[in-house]
Amino acid sequence: MDMFSRGAVKWAAMGFLAVIGTFWVLSAIFPRPVAVGMMAALRMSAGLEAKSVVTRVGEVAYLEGGEGPTIVLLHGIYARKEHWIDLTRELTDRYHVIAPDLPGFGDNPVLGDGAYSYAHQADRLVQFLDAMKVGDFHLAGNSMGGQLTGMLARRLPDRVRSIAFIGSAARVASPLRSDMERALSQGHAPLVVITEDDFHARMDWLFPHAPYIPGPVTAVWAADEAGRAEANKRIWQEVGASSSPRLDALAPSLTQPALIIWCREDRVFHFSGAAVLSHLLPNDELVELSDCGHVPMLDKPQESGRTYRDFLDRLQPN
């Protein structure tokens, strides 16, 4: 290599390091705009757009992308629509995907006292679907979103074509107690974030191995959730006190084709609940995953996404 070539390589390397250094400085000083840019790029790479629609209960933020039969994805308590992005990479080439921030969560404003019961949440979801002019659709949920999936499938049997529980669903009685149930019995609610440290500690409850989330995104999400500390406590109480029928009571009446994806290492709802839900559903398929926790669309997005896509593909007419 001659002197000119060596110099070019040297300057290229220095330029690359300068770009990386500038990026990390900007991330530290301006984490929110950097996080916004990162999430926009991530959405675009998955074929999704960030949108919002005005409903009777206010504006609701959602992600949308792809063409084909419609899928609606419902996140769990304190979660957000962006948690579905990596999973949707397996779907948007053949399905039309809608992933809302449930009203009162994510980028939506916090709602007032009494607004977070399951019955009120289900009402708002129907209003969202009607505002979006969604006809029939496939419905999938995680955790709290799983309970809502069961409620909407019972309420809209002519519109909900199939149901899926991607990760354990709330309100299924498991034969064995989970780590979270033990913590709750001792007065500790590990999913409720009061401080930014709580946000990071919660990762150990959700995942056996935390998935990579860019630092600026994590910083913004942690700050936003800690900023809702009082609301977080109230939401937990209101959801827990809901009097709506439990998913395990609804399940025998849900005749739609159903998929259950449940991770063995789930600390929030014990894995033994998977067989309970499978036994109760009349028309289900149970898939057990290993080395993942409560939110498999984040720590096993490809595997859970392909499993869900294959399930949906089998339901499509030839």
Side-chain angles (χ1 to χ4, degrees):
M1 182 181 293
D2 60 28
M3 184 178 298
F4 177 79
S5 298
R6 288 196 298 271
V9 170
K10 175 182 176 182
W11 282 108
M14 291 176 64
F16 176 76
L17 291 174
V19 169
I20 295 298
T22 300
F23 171 79
W24 285 114
V25 169
L26 291 174
S27 297
I29 300 174
F30 307 110
R32 190 169 296 275
V34 171
V36 168
M38 285 180 161
M39 294 311 304
L42 190 62
R43 289 193 303 268
M44 186 181 302
S45 70
L48 299 172
E49 293 183 64
K51 302 180 180 181
S52 64
V53 63
V54 176
T55 74
R56 286 164 45 197
V57 292
E59 195 169 6
V60 176
Y62 65 96
L63 302 178
E64 183 176 26
E67 295 182 358
T70 296
I71 301 168
V72 177
L73 302 171
L74 306 180
H75 63 70
I77 193 168
Y78 308 128
R80 53 189 307 128
K81 60 188 182 299
E82 287 81 9
H83 291 177
W84 294 105
I85 290 177
D86 283 342
L87 179 143
T88 63
R89 296 178 192 281
E90 307 297 331
L91 303 173
T92 50
D93 62 335
R94 62 185 81 179
Y95 293 97
H96 169 222
V97 176
I98 299 171
D101 272 333
L102 299 183
F105 294 97
D107 292 329
N108 299 322
V110 173
L111 300 175
D113 289 352
Y116 288 91
S117 71
Y118 277 115
H120 286 137
Q121 291 199 62
D123 287 344
R124 288 193 295 271
L125 277 170
V126 173
Q127 292 166 15
F128 168 75
L129 293 167
D130 290 345
M132 292 285 293
K133 297 181 170 54
V134 175
D136 61 349
F137 58 99
H138 301 277
L139 183 61
N142 169 262
S143 195
M144 182 184 76
Q147 167 71 24
L148 291 168
T149 292
M151 294 174 70
L152 263 64
R154 173 73 176 271
R155 182 169 174 173
L156 306 172
D158 296 330
R159 293 172 65 182
V160 178
R161 297 176 59 186
S162 74
I163 55 178
F165 305 96
I166 300 180
S168 57
R171 308 189 98 190
V172 175
S174 300
L176 300 176
R177 287 206 307 172
S178 68
D179 289 347
M180 187 185 76
E181 288 169 324
R182 292 190 184 94
L184 290 172
S185 69
Q186 298 170 4
H188 175 48
L191 301 189
V192 180
V193 167
I194 305 302
T195 68
E196 293 185 32
D197 286 342
D198 292 338
F199 179 93
H200 298 293
R202 188 175 63 189
M203 299 296 255
D204 291 335
W205 285 90
L206 297 178
F207 311 103
H209 311 289
Y212 173 72
I213 301 174
V217 174
T218 301
V220 169
W221 286 355
D224 286 351
E225 197 164 343
R228 297 181 173 193
E230 292 305 311
N232 292 339
K233 291 187 283 188
R234 174 171 59 84
I235 290 166
W236 183 260
Q237 294 168 352
E238 291 183 11
V239 170
S242 293
S243 59
S244 300
R246 293 167 51 91
L247 178 59
D248 47 19
L250 292 170
S253 67
L254 304 180
T255 58
Q256 296 96 334
L259 172 68
I260 304 168
I261 299 175
W262 203 306
C263 292
R264 291 181 176 275
E265 291 79 13
D266 194 326
R267 299 182 65 196
V268 176
F269 299 125
H270 196 276
F271 175 72
S272 60
V276 173
L277 182 57
S278 179
H279 177 74
L280 292 170
L281 289 165
N283 184 17
D284 81 291
E285 174 183 340
L286 171 60
V287 176
E288 303 171 1
L289 295 184
S290 297
D291 200 32
C292 57
H294 186 57
V295 195
M297 63 273 209
L298 282 175
D299 54 358
K300 280 291 181 77
Q302 289 78 27
E303 189 169 354
S304 53
R306 289 168 189 160
T307 299
Y308 186 37
R309 181 195 64 203
D310 292 345
F311 166 77
L312 293 172
D313 287 350
R314 291 194 293 272
L315 301 179
Q316 303 312 311
N318 295 327

